Amino acid sequence: MRPQPPDPGSAAPEHPTTARTGAAGGSRRPAAHRWRLLAVLLAAQFMANVDTAIANIAAPAVRSDLGASGGEAGLVVSGYVVAYAVLLVAGARLGGSRGHRRILLAGLALFTAASLACALAFTPAVLIASRIAQGAGAALMVPQVLSGIQLHFTGRQRIKALGYYALALSGGAVAGQALGGVLIAADLLGTGWRPIFLVNVPAGLLLLWAALRVMPPDPAGGTARTGPVGAGNSAGRAGGLPASGTGPGPGDGAGAGACAGADTAVPPPDGIDVRGMVLLAATVLLLVVPLLLGTDAGWPWWMWACLAAVVPTGAVFRRSQRRRAARGGRPLIAEEVIREPAIRWSLAAHGATTMTYFALLFVLALYLQEGLGRGPAYAGAAMISWVAAFGLAGPLLARVPPRYAAAMPAVGCVVLAGGYTAVWLYLVTGHRTGPALFLLLGIGGLGLGISSNALIARMTFALPDRYAADLSGVISTNAQLCGALGVATLGGGYLHLTDGGSASATTSAHALEAVLATAAALAALSAPASRRGTRPQPAGSGPATPDPATSDPRAAAPVAPAAPALPGAASPATATTSPEADDP
């Protein structure tokens, strides 16, 4: 298997050196120590996942306690997501160039300090700023999780470790929903919503201590060593579908992970595209902030000016990316990747479905708590069926015959649209909430799981291996930013229809119906978009697609979880490993 570029969601490029799979960390490190290391890495992933979902449940309590508007509550959610999305690739590259241990510790320290700031915030502005800092900490911390797995586990042990990784993803999403509701409902010592962030402080300090003890020091000079990265199109070779379960995560990911192999020369690191990150963040915030705050503020002139500036700012961002690529640098979003029609259409479908999910998380919490007067624990339990059904998609897809693989993205989008439609019908027939609502939400979770996993697998197959790292960054950034836009557009629409969330139960139900109808339409439109990605392209129209019939047979080995669209801070990677290269 030829050398591959590292995945930005996992092992980033590093200084010129020779990397040996499992070297100094894989088979040579005692097994008990490696599993302790895995526990630390997965705990960091778990914390980041919890804090994405948990903020949605807290939105009504934050509004009541801090006097925040609905738009400000939306920024508490989307600020974290935007910061994570924009800084994710930078965090991965810093881990490769400065050392995975060093960057994980820095990210964990920032995440813990920002959690304390969130818990102590007494104004909406401070809470929003603290959430942005929290997202930045997660962006530094989370990419090192899969890097650690790649560095210290090989063969079947890596497959086993990645199985636990999938559990951390799904467990974090479930815990964020359920734990958040329980903590807020408990109102410990009259602190209301604050314990959902305060609990991160002792957990973060304990995790810092554990990481200092069990994570091996970074090599001299601040560089990290990594094993060779596996084929980014391995999922496609294996039939176009992941061969193992997939867990919920913040970010979507695909691309190459690591596989056991021979020595591989690792290319030098690229510089961090600070200009690109600033321009991308500015473009998104110029759109998100007015959409969330416009109704509350009465749409002053400066909000219209922000919206008008979105297109020119986006054009400047695109031009900066082209110039950076022309100078031989590595842009934040590789244009040659999104130029491929299969990738472009799949990104559109994936982004649209992800947008509906993030919006539903935010809107449903407001509807159940403010519209119907239910408690936070009840609202936290509502989406558990969705998350659980999402987790079933990976094992189900692994059993789909290869001849049906190409249809699975569209099938998932249709099932997702059907789930939204079922909930819409439940509401328009006069029902408001109940066990039936919770069960119907599970249909949507299954559809999103099928579409997310299948679309990610297709995109990893659409391009040659040399694009794996850039593809991973594009998928992650696209999914997270679409999630933030979903909160801004559909969430902002719900707030507008409910007069900032203060409307009656009937009006709130009608507003939720409008959101569900829009989400169903977007999911339905994603089905033909996903089908467009399967059409053969004329010769020379894009990067060549490898022939699965001539691919390395080891590529059909079990595929590790690809971080899908459910919220969390999952590092974007699809890893493969050869079962023939077992740990001793």
Side-chain angles (χ1 to χ4, degrees):
M1 184 177 293
R2 63 184 182 278
Q4 304 300 328
D7 181 19
S10 49
E14 21 180 334
H15 291 291
T17 185
T18 299
R20 188 182 301 274
T21 300
S27 58
R28 297 182 185 180
R29 187 166 298 277
H33 184 91
R34 277 184 284 135
W35 292 112
R36 288 195 294 269
L37 171 62
L38 179 66
V40 170
L41 294 174
L42 297 186
Q45 179 71 73
F46 184 88
M47 284 178 60
N49 278 31
V50 165
D51 266 61
T52 303
I54 210 168
N56 291 281
I57 304 301
V62 167
R63 294 186 62 187
S64 175
D65 184 40
L66 299 185
S69 66
E72 288 170 333
L75 285 176
V76 170
V77 175
S78 58
Y80 179 100
V81 176
V82 171
Y84 174 82
V86 172
L87 297 174
L88 173 66
V89 174
R93 293 177 185 173
L94 282 172
S97 62
R98 306 301 181 192
H100 299 296
R101 181 180 187 265
R102 182 179 292 110
I103 300 303
L104 183 140
L105 291 172
L108 182 56
L110 176 57
F111 185 89
T112 303
S115 296
L116 179 61
C118 289
L120 298 178
F122 283 94
T123 67
V126 172
L127 181 57
I128 292 168
S130 301
R131 283 285 289 171
I132 291 173
Q134 217 183 16
L140 292 175
M141 175 175 65
V142 167
Q144 319 317 322
V145 174
L146 274 176
S147 297
I149 293 174
Q150 292 176 9
L151 285 165
H152 303 291
F153 294 87
T154 58
R156 295 189 187 278
Q157 293 300 315
R158 181 177 294 162
I159 297 174
K160 186 176 180 180
L162 287 165
Y164 289 124
Y165 169 76
L167 291 177
L169 294 178
S170 56
V174 172
Q177 291 293 124
L179 181 63
V182 171
L183 285 176
I184 297 169
D187 192 20
L188 301 173
L189 302 177
T191 53
W193 54 270
R194 299 178 190 277
I196 69 170
F197 298 116
L198 197 59
V199 71
N200 289 335
V201 177
L205 292 175
L206 179 62
L207 199 53
L208 279 168
W209 172 81
L212 286 169
R213 287 180 60 86
V214 304
M215 289 192 73
D218 295 318
T223 62
R225 297 172 68 184
T226 180
V229 177
N233 49 2
S234 56
R237 294 177 185 143
L241 298 173
S244 69
T246 308
D252 287 41
C259 70
D263 293 350
T264 304
V266 180
D270 291 310
I272 303 302
D273 186 8
V274 177
R275 176 182 171 84
M277 289 190 296
V278 171
L279 287 171
L280 179 59
T283 302
V284 175
L285 291 176
L286 284 170
L287 179 61
V288 168
V289 172
L291 289 176
L292 283 173
L293 301 182
T295 300
D296 299 322
W299 289 100
W301 67 268
W302 63 267
M303 287 194 176
W304 294 107
C306 287
L307 292 175
V310 169
V311 173
T313 306
V316 173
F317 167 72
R318 184 178 182 185
R319 186 161 59 248
S320 76
Q321 297 294 282
R322 288 180 171 179
R323 288 179 177 176
R324 184 175 179 84
R327 292 195 301 266
R330 191 173 179 182
L332 196 64
I333 296 179
E335 189 165 338
E336 65 269 24
V337 170
I338 59 178
R339 192 181 298 129
E340 167 67 19
I343 300 297
R344 191 165 59 246
W345 284 106
S346 295
L347 285 173
H350 194 222
T353 53
T354 303
M355 178 186 297
T356 65
Y357 171 71
F358 274 73
L360 180 66
L361 270 182
F362 178 66
V363 168
L364 191 63
L366 294 177
Y367 166 73
L368 292 174
Q369 295 181 71
E370 295 186 341
L372 302 185
R374 297 303 180 104
Y378 184 91
M383 289 294 288
I384 291 179
S385 63
W386 180 295
V387 177
F390 185 100
L392 294 175
L396 289 176
L397 286 173
R399 292 166 173 77
V400 173
R403 64 181 179 275
Y404 298 125
M408 296 318 298
V411 168
C413 293
V414 171
V415 173
L416 177 60
Y420 287 132
T421 303
V423 178
W424 176 82
L425 288 171
Y426 178 81
L427 293 174
V428 298
T429 54
H431 300 88
R432 293 294 177 259
T433 186
L437 173 65
F438 292 14
L439 292 175
L440 291 174
L441 287 169
I443 300 174
L446 180 63
L448 184 65
I450 293 172
S451 64
S452 294
N453 283 282
L455 284 167
I456 288 170
R458 173 184 294 166
M459 285 187 276
T460 62
F461 181 48
L463 294 174
D465 295 343
R466 65 181 180 274
Y467 292 101
D470 290 317
L471 175 62
S472 180
V474 167
I475 293 175
S476 295
T477 303
N478 176 72
Q480 294 295 314
L481 293 181
C482 284
L485 291 176
V487 174
T489 53
L490 298 182
Y494 176 86
L495 291 169
H496 176 74
L497 293 174
T498 59
D499 193 21
S502 60
S504 65
T506 301
T507 302
S508 298
H510 292 330
L512 180 57
E513 291 166 12
V515 171
L516 289 168
T518 305
L522 286 172
L525 290 173
S526 298
S530 68
R531 293 292 294 172
R532 290 288 297 271
T534 64
R535 295 182 180 180
Q537 303 300 323
S541 63
T545 300
D547 182 0
T550 60
S551 299
D552 190 327
R554 292 182 300 173
V559 180
L566 287 180
S571 177
T574 300
T576 65
T577 180
S578 172
E580 301 170 356
D582 294 337
D583 286 354

